Amino acid sequence: MEEPKKYKIEEEMNKLNLKNYKAASRLIPKYLNIAFNTFHNYRKLPLNGKADIPYATVVLLEGIFGLEHGQLANYPLEMKSLQCLIYEEAGQEENA
């Protein structure tokens, strides 16, 4: 079984017909100002790997594929507000 990928880039590319797939493979790296091999590596990043794509590049890829913010990631992001983090830290300090 194939290892899950960190991002849904390959899934989005596979939705394209052959002509558009070839064009996207050529144009996306050029638009992102990265090498073709770098784009290829982004598509293959394993879910549990340490390597990652720069944030601005992820945002651009989401735009390219018409995805909403956060939809390119293949994993859930736990988000907490600053107020929640401050509250949790204050509670930990009281218990120490």
Side-chain angles (χ1 to χ4, degrees), residues 19-72:
K19 181 180 177 182
N20 289 342
Y21 181 95
K22 287 182 178 184
S25 294
R26 185 182 72 255
L27 295 172
I28 292 173
K30 188 184 293 187
Y31 176 73
L32 298 175
N33 199 26
I34 59 174
F36 171 81
N37 286 342
T38 302
F39 180 58
H40 182 73
N41 291 339
Y42 286 172
R43 294 163 60 173
K44 304 295 181 188
L45 287 174
L47 185 60
N48 297 322
K50 292 188 181 210
D52 212 337
I53 302 174
Y55 174 75
T57 303
V58 171
V59 172
L60 289 172
L61 285 168
E62 287 171 338
I64 288 169
F65 292 120
L67 302 172
E68 296 294 322
H69 177 68
Q71 285 186 323
L72 191 65

Side-chain angles (χ1 to χ4, degrees), residues 83-96:
Q83 192 62 40
C84 180
L85 294 172
I86 292 170
Y87 178 79
E88 287 176 356
E89 182 181 42
Q92 290 175 358
E93 289 174 357
E94 290 175 8
N95 294 330

